[in-house]
Amino acid sequence: MKELFSVLFRTIFFYFFVMFMFRIMGKREVGQLGVVDLIVSILIAELVAISIENTQDTLFMTVIPIVVLVILEILLARIALKSKKIRTFFGGKPSIIIDKGRVDFKEMVKQRYTIDDLLLELRQKSIKSIEDVEYALLEANGKLSIFEKKLFDKNCPLPLIVDGEIQSSTLRRINKSKVWLEYMLRKNEISKEDVFYCFYKGYKLFIIEKRDLINLGR
């Protein structure tokens, strides 16, 4: 009876404790978890399961490792916000599966992404054919972002600079060069390193710099 009470107490305790820890980490839905988030979640689940089974161990033997994992996850998240290299190392980066309507089979093999996976994603988004897709990205969380040709027009925002890094593939798509982009930045006295996000939409440049949205015009 005492052991049963201990199991029930531990179950209820860890239910609220883990909920509190996840709230601290600011978790999103499971499908959006990154690699680090997923690893931390699995380890927490394993630690809780072991603690519930081993009632002879003190709660602190489980609480302390969970707290350490949460602190580590928060620290890595803070570092990743300031460093794109760290963010890419831990979270990965998107892979282009379809570019201008053409499937990149080499990238699919590299990512171990089959044609059946691709067709399944297209069907789930009510897309009848690969030819209807202009651009498809395999995100770091395993989801496929799809841009249809009929939607991929001048009104679709295209990223030109992300965290100070110029997106050469987008420049080629809009028939512009790095010289043109750097000229536009100099013209408005903006350094590339100070740009958080820059996108091209409706034949205009939009730059997000220090929480300001600047319309540079054409």
Side-chain angles (χ1 to χ4, degrees):
M1 190 68 181
K2 183 179 179 181
E3 185 175 353
L4 177 60
F5 175 78
S6 179
V7 170
L8 289 175
F9 173 76
R10 286 168 179 263
T11 302
I12 296 172
F13 171 79
F14 282 117
Y15 173 81
F16 289 102
F17 179 71
V18 172
M19 182 187 298
F20 177 70
M21 289 292 101
F22 272 53
R23 289 294 296 272
I24 291 178
M25 289 191 292
K27 287 290 166 261
R28 298 160 289 177
E29 60 179 288
V30 176
Q32 295 178 328
L33 293 180
V35 175
V36 175
D37 302 327
L38 185 59
I39 291 173
V40 171
S41 300
I42 292 174
L43 288 176
I44 289 177
E46 288 294 326
L47 287 169
V48 170
I50 293 172
S51 180
I52 292 176
E53 292 177 358
N54 300 328
T55 56
Q56 67 275 12
D57 294 337
T58 63
L59 290 175
F60 287 105
M61 295 299 292
T62 302
V63 169
I64 292 175
I66 291 177
V67 172
V68 171
L69 286 173
V70 171
I71 293 174
L72 180 62
E73 198 276 344
I74 293 174
L75 288 176
L76 288 175
R78 295 281 179 85
I79 295 173
L81 284 174
K82 298 180 180 180
S83 173
K84 186 176 181 180
K85 290 183 178 180
I86 297 296
R87 188 163 61 250
T88 300
F89 177 78
F90 285 105
K93 61 180 180 179
S95 300
I96 300 176
I97 300 299
I98 299 178
D99 186 15
K100 294 183 179 180
R102 300 183 63 180
V103 179
D104 189 338
F105 291 104
K106 289 184 178 180
E107 187 64 27
M108 288 180 65
V109 172
K110 181 180 177 182
Q111 300 299 327
R112 295 184 294 280
Y113 196 77
T114 68
I115 189 67
D116 292 330
D117 295 328
L118 178 59
L119 294 176
L120 175 62
E121 290 287 344
L122 295 181
R123 289 195 299 270
Q124 289 180 338
K125 292 179 172 59
S126 301
I127 299 176
K128 298 178 180 178
S129 173
I130 294 177
E131 286 72 22
D132 296 333
V133 179
E134 175 72 14
Y135 199 57
L137 277 173
L138 184 61
E139 304 291 354
N141 62 3
K143 288 189 175 182
L144 191 69
S145 298
I146 300 174
F147 300 89
E148 296 183 68
K149 288 183 178 180
K150 62 182 180 181
L151 300 177
F152 207 83
D153 54 20
K154 66 180 182 179
N155 293 318
C156 180
L158 304 173
L160 291 179
I161 300 178
V162 179
D163 284 353
E165 183 175 330
I166 295 177
Q167 308 298 302
S168 301
S169 59
T170 306
L171 283 173
R172 291 194 297 269
R173 185 178 297 280
I174 63 176
N175 296 318
K176 300 290 185 179
S177 66
K178 288 185 179 180
V179 175
W180 167 80
L181 180 57
E182 290 170 351
Y183 166 75
M184 295 298 289
L185 295 176
R186 288 197 305 270
K187 181 180 177 182
N188 291 270
E189 300 180 349
I190 300 174
S191 173
K192 181 185 68 174
E193 287 73 21
D194 295 332
V195 177
F196 174 72
Y197 187 68
C198 170
F199 63 92
Y200 188 78
K201 179 180 180 182
Y203 302 110
K204 294 180 180 180
L205 263 184
F206 294 88
I207 293 181
I208 298 176
E209 180 198 20
K210 296 179 180 179
R211 296 177 297 179
D212 292 328
L213 181 63
I214 304 173
N215 185 350
L216 299 182
R218 190 169 181 176

